[in-house]
Structures are given as structure tokens and as C-alpha cells.
Amino acid sequence: SAIRGRLLGRASVLAMTALDVERAHRLADEGLDLAARRGDPTLEGQLLTVRHLCVVDRAGAEQRERLGERLIGLGAHARRSDLSLVGYQWIAGTRILRGDLAGAADELDRLEIRATLRPPSWQLVVQFRRMTLAGMIGPREAALELAAETWERFGDLLGEQERPGVEYEFRSSLARLYGVADPEIEQLHARLYGRPLPPVPFINVRAGMKDLLTGDVERIRPIVSRWAPRSTMIVRSFMGLPTMAVLATMAAAVGDGELSQPVVDALLPFSGLLACDNGIGVNPPVDTLIAMNLLATRELERAAEYAAAGVELAETTGADPLMDRARSVQLAVEEASGRGLAEALRCLLYTSP
């Protein structure tokens, strides 16, 4: 029945929240089979959004883009514009993942036209994606101006803790990418992390972003020690890939090969993508992050291969900030044997001047 299908969808979401990805997918797949037997486009669309909530590898990202078109069709057939909007969002998000920033901008235009007829929360989704693109393309000032416009127009839609969390994520990711100091980050950190944290990876790992930006390796070491061994679980969870972008950068800075190895293993299935998904953070290519951590595991030849792949993807985006970051990591890898591994790892820190 349709009720059973919806219950399977809810159970799948709960399993995903509990970081049990296999069970979450199994439950959603069972619900999709039920929807197919019933010929129910609404139920199928709802369960597709659950099944592909999190991208777990590059093939999953490519599949989600194709299923975005399927969702658009299901939404039109069932007269459920909310399902169609998710489809447009998936296509735009996956194009960002693949580095097709121009294609993502085109898809956001399609989404924005339709979002004006829906609740303002959908317009906020469009703004968040545009902020991501602006941060990647630059200049940094333009991205911050767009963010300020977003808070002015839609700030009331965010909760008391959600807005500073989103702002902290965006500003700190810009600081990592551009290497420019931002005094707002410390104030936002104090508002967010002045109390005990729930045991959720994307919250806990981000607690170290402030210290990462100032190059305080000893303060981020406990976070890396706790979460790096769980990298495969993290990357397959909600906000997994952008969370891993932060963790991978911290692990490379710590420079402990035993901690960097699980980071590399978790990121390999995402090779060839940008380290972005849900959320608004701007991050470099996954291959660039892999190269940084292969330095820590002392695999210089492999590090050079992945650093080159990161540069190649960054160049296809046409975004100067991404290209600059990928090339700086490639240079650090090339010079590692000459100036010493420790110095090369220090150069990978996203420190502000």
C-alpha cells in the first residue's frame, strides 16, 4: 500500500540519520519496488528523494543527475511541483560536483523560475547554490555580497542556530580557498561551539575549521584522531563530502600517515569530482585532497598523479580560485622531496596572512 511505502521512506531516513547507509538504501529500494508495482508516480518520486539523499560515490552522483530528469517528469505527471523542483536541484548540484559550473548556472535559472511560485524556502535553496558558484568563481568580495543579500532577503527562514552555522560554513570555506583572514569566523565559532555538541560528524568536524585557518595543528589533532578512522562512514552520510573536505585538509596538516590513510580510502570513490554536495561550502577537487593526504602517507608518486588530476578538473571549471588552489597543492607535491615532507605539509595549510 501507499502507507507502507511512506513508512519505508521514513524508516530509510532514520537509518541514514543513524549512519546505517546500507539499511537506508535497502528500505528505500523496497519502497521503490512497491511504488513501481502500484504505478504510483507520487510515491516513486518521494522515495527517489529519500534513496538518493546522499551521494556515496561518483557513479551515484552521475545517477542522481539522470534521476533528476526522472523526478521532473514524475512531478509533472503527478502535478507535484515540489518533486520537479528537487529534480532541478539534483541536476544543478551534480553539475557543480562534476565541475560544470556553467551548466549548473543554467539549471539554477530553470529552478529559479519555478521556485518563485513555491514557498520562499525554495528561493533560499537557489540562493545557496548561487553562493556556492560565486565562491568558486570569485572574486571573494562578490560572494560575500551575495551572502549578505541572502541573509537580508531570507534570514528569517533560518533558525537561531542554523543561520550562524550556514554563515560559518560559507565564510570559513572562502577563507580556506582564498587564504584571506575573516574576523567574523571566530565570532561565529563562539556562538556555535560554546556548548556540548551532538555526536554528529558534520558538526563536530567543522568545530576545527577556526583552528585550521590559523594553522593551530595541535588543536585540530584530537578532532582528526577521533574522526579520520571513521572517514568511510562520514563520507557516506548527510553532508558527507564537504565534511570530508574539511577533515581531509586537517588530516593532511597533522601529517600522520595512519590517520591520512582512511581519509584517502574514503575519498577514492569520489575521484574526479569537486568536494561539494549538500551545503554551501566551496571546496577543491577531491583529487587535490587525496594528493594532500598521500603526502602524509609518503606516497609521492601517487600524490603527484592525483595532484595533476585535481588541476585538470579545476581547469575545466574555468574558476581561478579553484585552479590556484589545485596548482598550489601540485607545486607542494612536486617540491616535497626537495624541501622535506614536513615543510610541504605545512604549505598545505589554509592559513590566513
Side-chain angles (χ1 to χ4, degrees):
S1 68
I3 294 176
R4 174 170 171 74
R6 288 194 291 271
L7 288 174
L8 286 167
R10 291 173 185 171
S12 177
V13 171
L14 289 174
M16 185 67 74
T17 303
L19 305 178
D20 189 345
V21 178
E22 285 74 17
R23 183 168 185 269
H25 286 177
R26 187 169 62 252
L27 290 166
D29 287 339
E30 184 179 346
L32 283 168
D33 288 342
L34 176 61
R37 292 195 301 272
R38 286 176 49 84
D40 187 334
T42 298
L43 183 60
E44 181 184 352
Q46 291 171 334
L47 286 161
L48 278 176
T49 63
V50 171
R51 175 62 174 79
H52 298 276
L53 178 66
C54 301
V55 171
V56 298
D57 53 26
R58 182 175 177 175
E62 294 168 349
Q63 182 183 26
R64 190 164 69 172
E65 183 172 13
R66 294 192 299 272
L67 289 173
E69 295 290 356
R70 173 68 175 161
L71 268 180
I72 292 170
L74 287 169
H77 181 66
R79 296 185 178 181
R80 288 287 302 271
S81 60
D82 56 325
L83 296 178
S84 296
L85 290 174
V86 173
Y88 289 115
Q89 182 187 2
W90 277 6
I91 295 170
T94 304
R95 288 181 179 175
I96 293 174
L97 274 171
R98 292 195 288 103
D100 180 7
L101 305 190
D106 290 343
E107 200 64 29
L108 285 175
D109 289 341
R110 296 172 66 192
L111 174 58
E112 187 169 32
I113 292 170
R114 293 155 179 83
T116 56
L117 304 176
R118 299 292 300 172
S121 57
W122 271 107
Q123 298 173 49
L124 178 59
V125 169
V126 175
Q127 284 291 104
F128 280 169
R129 293 296 189 184
R130 292 203 186 281
M131 286 167 58
T132 298
L133 290 178
M136 291 179 176
I137 296 169
R140 172 179 173 272
E141 292 74 17
L144 289 174
E145 287 177 7
L146 182 59
E149 175 189 326
T150 301
W151 311 140
E152 183 177 349
R153 291 178 58 192
F154 303 107
D156 291 343
L157 298 178
L158 300 172
E160 183 178 349
Q161 290 302 312
E162 188 178 5
R163 173 173 169 175
V166 172
E167 192 169 359
Y168 175 69
E169 164 85 0
F170 189 60
R171 284 183 170 274
S172 61
S173 69
L174 289 179
R176 294 198 309 272
L177 186 62
Y178 290 84
V180 177
D182 186 342
E184 295 288 334
I185 292 173
E186 186 164 356
Q187 299 173 29
L188 290 165
H189 184 277
R191 289 179 62 185
L192 290 166
Y193 293 103
R195 59 189 185 282
L197 302 177
V200 180
F202 78 85
I203 295 176
N204 281 258
V205 170
R206 282 167 172 74
M209 290 195 293
K210 176 182 72 71
D211 296 315
L212 174 66
L213 292 168
T214 59
D216 193 338
V217 174
E218 292 311 309
R219 287 183 67 89
I220 64 177
R221 188 183 298 275
I223 297 175
V224 176
S225 298
R226 177 184 180 187
W227 293 106
R230 306 172 71 184
S231 292
T232 297
M233 175 271 290
I234 292 172
V235 81
R236 293 162 64 87
S237 66
F238 178 68
M239 296 282 286
L241 195 51
T243 299
M244 281 302 302
V246 179
L247 182 59
T249 305
M250 292 195 292
V254 169
D256 184 328
E258 290 188 5
L259 293 174
S260 281
Q261 188 59 59
V263 170
V264 170
D265 294 340
L267 288 176
L268 283 174
F270 298 86
S271 175
L273 301 176
L274 294 177
C276 305
D277 191 22
N278 293 317
I280 61 171
V282 292
N283 296 305
V286 170
D287 291 315
T288 298
L289 298 169
I290 292 173
M292 292 163 61
N293 281 274
L294 287 172
L295 274 181
T297 63
R298 277 61 172 175
E299 298 174 80
L300 297 186
E301 289 187 8
R302 288 185 70 202
E305 292 173 6
Y306 281 98
V311 169
E312 182 177 355
L313 176 59
E315 289 176 343
T316 67
T317 69
D320 288 335
L322 291 177
M323 287 188 278
D324 290 344
R325 186 59 199 164
R327 288 167 181 162
S328 69
V329 170
Q330 185 181 42
L331 181 61
V333 170
E334 290 173 351
E335 296 182 351
S337 58
R339 64 183 171 187
L341 183 63
E343 177 62 23
L345 289 169
R346 277 195 294 273
C347 288
L348 298 179
L349 276 169
Y350 287 95
T351 51
S352 300

